[in-house]
Amino acid sequence: MAKIKGDIVINVERCKGCEVCIASCPFSTIAMTKEVNGKGYHYAVKVNDDCTGCMNCAIVCPDGVITVYRAKVMAE
Amino acid sequence: MEEQFAKLDIRKNENIVYKRTDLLVDRPLSYCPGCGHGTVHRMLMETLEEMGLQDKTIGVSPVGCSVLAYDFMNIDMLGAAHGRAPALATAIKRMWPDRFVFTYQGDGDLAAIGTAETIHACNRGEHFTMIFINNGIYGMTGGQMAPTTLPNMRTSTSPYGRDTNIMGFPLKMTELVAQLPGTYYVTRQAVHTPSAVRKTKKAIRKAFENQKNKTGISFIEVVSNCNSGWKMTPVQSNKWMEENMFPFYPLGDIKIDGVLVTPKAETVKV
């Protein structure tokens, strides 16, 4: 059976660490790092494999730093 | 950490379902983290990209936090004097009726110094789109009290809360202009959750489609947060906005196709 799997790519140098994406993600796929980027903000990273490519994080991101990929994959 | 969960077989160009639009210039936005301005900018530019109006649109940027909107939007833009964006947009639309014109204003611009221009432009029924970002505060100058500040809301010029006996009541611009015969589509939206952002995008699209028919002003108010001015984190300020702003500024359409819709939300006691 085919499943929908997604992936996100975050432009960490543009991320301002507002955490709005974390509140909107239904699968808790995004979390903040302890490290900071070039501007001194903590940035968002993907922390698990549950992403389905629903685009919620990308749509609420005020700076538009998230690119979303989505594909059908066959379950192993 | 990020590489650990990267799915390189999915990460291909043909699988992209969402990316930042090319109509936003590739430079960092000047807004605070979590500010609703960035989201509205992106929704506006995505709408123009989908409708293919990049070379036919002229925007008017205001004075306020979004004064640099012309730096981020890759379309023709003009900067207006404080509050006078509707007057400038009127001139552009009358000189060039086939162009799509919008103004992008905050509450200090549209509801304070530009009240006269706003009301008269709406009353004349000019055929452009007005986008009004309402965060209840003068964000750029350091969080002073604005006409749209809620009763008992603390700002830097009302440190004990807005006392309505001395400072008056908040101004509901959107309900005000909905009464005028020149407005065709009046709505109030928000950008704090994914569903709210999708509704805002639909409203912006409807507003630009109304310009094709030359039916009158489309007025979109977006209730936004100002986490710096409210002294909160972005997530806290979104929650505060839901609890305090939305009872006073209820979301939803107020006038569709020139007909007033009965507001279903309750009003708050002041």
Side-chain angles (χ1 to χ4, degrees):
Chain A
M1 195 187 122
K3 283 173 84 176
I4 302 286
K5 276 286 180 190
D7 194 12
I8 53 171
V9 176
I10 298 167
N11 183 350
V12 295
E13 282 306 314
R14 289 281 172 85
C15 180
K16 291 178 182 167
C18 66
E19 305 185 15
V20 175
C21 53
I22 297 178
S24 72
C25 180
F27 299 104
S28 306
T29 298
I30 311 175
M32 304 304 289
T33 51
K34 287 184 179 169
E35 297 86 51
V36 294
N37 61 14
K39 287 193 170 173
Y41 295 117
H42 297 282
Y43 51 88
V45 286
K46 192 183 175 198
V47 290
N48 63 34
D49 269 341
D50 297 342
C51 181
T52 57
C54 69
M55 311 195 295
N56 276 2
C57 54
I59 282 179
V60 294
C61 179
D63 295 276
V65 301
I66 303 177
T67 308
V68 185
Y69 299 83
R70 190 198 292 149
K72 267 187 187 174
V73 292
M74 299 307 288
E76 294 92 35
Chain B
M1 190 186 257
E2 206 199 357
E3 286 70 34
Q4 187 189 340
F5 297 107
K7 292 190 160 299
L8 294 178
D9 52 332
I10 297 177
R11 210 175 277 186
K12 291 172 192 159
N13 273 343
E14 67 263 27
N15 290 340
I16 288 184
V17 286
Y18 192 90
K19 69 193 257 289
R20 186 185 155 109
T21 170
D22 293 333
L23 262 67
L24 277 175
V25 178
D26 189 22
R27 75 171 57 136
L29 299 174
S30 61
Y31 306 115
C32 306
C35 178
H37 269 309
T39 318
V40 181
H41 276 29
R42 197 158 40 78
M43 286 306 126
L44 188 56
M45 290 299 108
E46 278 175 16
T47 309
L48 294 183
E49 188 179 31
E50 284 166 17
M51 296 175 78
L53 299 177
Q54 183 179 13
D55 51 351
K56 287 184 196 149
T57 306
I58 302 170
V60 183
S61 70
V63 173
C65 287
S66 48
V67 65
L68 291 175
Y70 51 75
D71 265 357
F72 309 127
M73 298 179 180
N74 198 1
I75 53 172
D76 294 331
M77 298 279 291
L78 281 165
H82 200 352
R84 272 72 203 182
L88 188 52
T90 301
I92 298 168
K93 191 71 183 179
R94 288 193 176 193
M95 290 292 116
W96 249 342
D98 59 329
R99 290 294 196 270
F100 290 81
V101 182
F102 70 89
T103 69
Y104 186 101
Q105 300 174 270
D107 54 338
D109 192 81
L110 184 143
I113 192 168
T115 318
E117 279 75 11
T118 306
I119 288 178
H120 281 290
C122 289
N123 199 31
R124 287 194 305 267
E126 306 292 339
H127 308 302
F128 57 86
T129 301
M130 293 177 81
I131 295 171
F132 167 36
I133 314 292
N134 179 6
N135 53 15
I137 208 167
Y138 286 118
M140 187 178 90
T141 48
Q144 288 87 359
M145 189 179 73
T148 46
T149 300
L150 300 177
N152 303 320
M153 180 174 165
R154 287 180 185 217
T155 65
S156 59
T157 47
S158 58
Y160 305 108
R162 179 175 186 156
D163 183 354
T164 48
N165 291 325
I166 303 169
M167 300 155 187
F169 292 91
L171 186 59
K172 288 187 174 181
M173 271 324 270
T174 310
E175 274 85 354
L176 198 66
V177 299
Q179 307 298 325
L180 302 174
T183 51
Y184 189 70
Y185 177 54
V186 180
T187 183
R188 183 185 281 124
Q189 303 292 341
V191 287
H192 64 302
T193 59
S195 62
V197 176
R198 288 188 173 102
K199 280 182 193 164
T200 306
K201 190 175 175 184
K202 270 185 197 160
I204 294 174
R205 185 168 181 117
K206 190 173 165 64
F208 276 92
E209 274 165 3
N210 286 342
Q211 284 200 36
K212 284 183 189 165
N213 307 328
K214 297 197 172 32
T215 45
I217 279 205
S218 303
F219 189 98
I220 302 171
E221 172 178 351
V222 181
V223 182
S224 174
N225 60 352
C226 179
N227 45 69
S228 308
W230 297 351
K231 314 277 187 279
M232 296 175 197
T233 67
V235 176
Q236 273 174 351
S237 68
N238 281 341
K239 196 159 172 260
W240 191 90
M241 180 169 72
E242 274 180 12
E243 288 166 359
N244 297 285
M245 296 281 279
F246 290 174
F248 196 83
Y249 297 112
L251 302 187
D253 295 332
I254 295 165
K255 197 175 192 182
I256 304 174
D257 298 347
V259 181
L260 279 171
V261 183
T262 322
K264 56 190 170 200
E266 71 281 13
T267 49
V268 74
K269 279 184 187 171
V270 290

